[in-house]
């Protein structure tokens, strides 16, 4: 009786965690996601600004890349831009923001659309050129758009930059 | 004779420097510029990126402000964005770059046009709101466009931002 009451007080995920090991086949079909491979790049706005671009509504890429984008690099990534070799731990961020029309003929930054992240770990992400990829929605630090789809969503295009270690950008003067 | 030869070997500015003290009224009309008040902001590309805007060819301000502009702040200036008070030594840079058309519908950064600088020194620059202003041409660290014209060229417009300590920009999230 005591045991029954205990289970009844659990709800949602906690209840699943208690019951799942007893359900045949559960682990294969409903296993919780693995620990995040590419963490949110805390503090990236204090990292060095590498360069900026703007994808206008006239671009075929507008739906997936429209707006201002600013690229930021942490210390190991900056060393990589200089040397051509990116050490494990290098992180490059692509911060994408909506474009708003300001006073006559000016364009200004609007809301953040996504934060794209590349994290270097040559062994862990060997299947995608040694880089892990993730995209965080808006200004969320937890809502992930990519997850296990990194190869199709990110790497297949970065693969064209193999001579540059799969990094598209250059550090602007 | 020896003295005459010496003077004849000097030319241009050096000759003026030798002769000027002897010419009545020279100091008022042709005095050499004072030592630069606002130094070039060495290393500003490693400072925090505050925000970005783009002034298009459709803007009436295109001639004086056209292109991408990125604002960068040193440590004291960052503290000023947060507190609303800018301490002496705060420096804000407005890095202006040409816009180039990239692949269909994309805009990318071109050559640097100017580097504008605001340096906080409340006493030294009291006549212009406590800020010294300078503009460096292109990527030159020495070619100055403003000099003694700071009030007309820079401050008269910044004066509209008096409630914000004459700083136009805000630190983007």
């Amino acid at each position: 009786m005591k045991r029954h009451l205990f289970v009844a007080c659990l709800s949602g995920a906690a209840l699943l965690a208690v019951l799942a090991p007893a359900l045949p086949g559960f682990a294969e079909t409903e296993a919780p996601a693995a620990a995040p491979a590419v963490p949110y790049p805390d503090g990236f706005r204090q990292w060095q600004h590498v360069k900026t671009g703007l994808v206008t509504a006239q671009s075929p890429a507008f739906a997936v890349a429209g707006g201002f984008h600013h690229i930021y690099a942490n210390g190991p990534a900056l060393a990589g831009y200089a040397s051509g070799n990116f050490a494990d731990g290098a992180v490059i961020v692509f911060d994408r923001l909506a474009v708003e029309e300001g006073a006559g003929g000016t364009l200004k930054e609007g809301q953040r659309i996504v934060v794209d992240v590349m994290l270097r770990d040559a062994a862990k992400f060997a299947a995608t050129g040694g880089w892990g990829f993730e995209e965080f929605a808006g200004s969320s630090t937890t809502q992930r758009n990519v997850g296990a789809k990194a190869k199709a969503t990110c790497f297949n295009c970065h693969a064209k930059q193999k001579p540059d270690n799969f990094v598209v950008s250059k550090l602007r003067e």
Side-chain angles (χ1 to χ4, degrees), chain A residues 53-122:
Chain A
L54 196 158
V55 175
T56 74
Q58 283 70 52
S59 168
F62 184 74
V64 296
F68 280 110
H69 56 259
H70 306 300
I71 296 171
Y72 300 95
N74 71 355
L78 278 178
Y81 280 109
S83 71
N85 291 304
F86 292 84
D88 284 0
V91 179
I92 299 172
V93 170
F94 183 98
D95 185 21
R96 187 153 71 88
L97 306 155
V99 176
E100 292 184 356
E101 294 200 11
T106 64
L107 302 176
K108 58 183 188 175
E109 297 163 319
Q111 289 294 303
R112 176 165 287 127
I113 300 169
V114 292
V115 171
D116 287 339
V117 186
M118 290 175 71
L119 163 63
R120 182 76 186 174
D121 186 324

Side-chain angles (χ1 to χ4, degrees), chain A residues 126-147:
Chain A
T128 47
W131 291 96
F133 297 87
E134 189 51 270
E135 179 176 277
F136 295 87
S139 286
S140 171
T141 61
T142 56
Q143 189 181 334
R144 293 157 186 276
N145 293 342
V146 172

Side-chain angles (χ1 to χ4, degrees), chain A residues 3-59:
Chain A
R3 183 182 177 87
H4 177 74
L5 277 173
F6 171 73
V7 172
C9 291
L10 295 171
S11 64
L15 189 60
L16 274 175
V18 169
L19 298 178
L23 303 176
F26 182 89
E28 287 83 350
T29 57
E30 296 289 335
V38 179
Y40 187 83
D42 287 321
F44 78 84
R45 283 285 289 112
Q46 283 82 52
W47 298 357
Q48 182 166 341
H49 174 215
V50 172
K51 62 172 289 188
T52 285
L54 196 158
V55 175
T56 74
Q58 283 70 52
S59 168

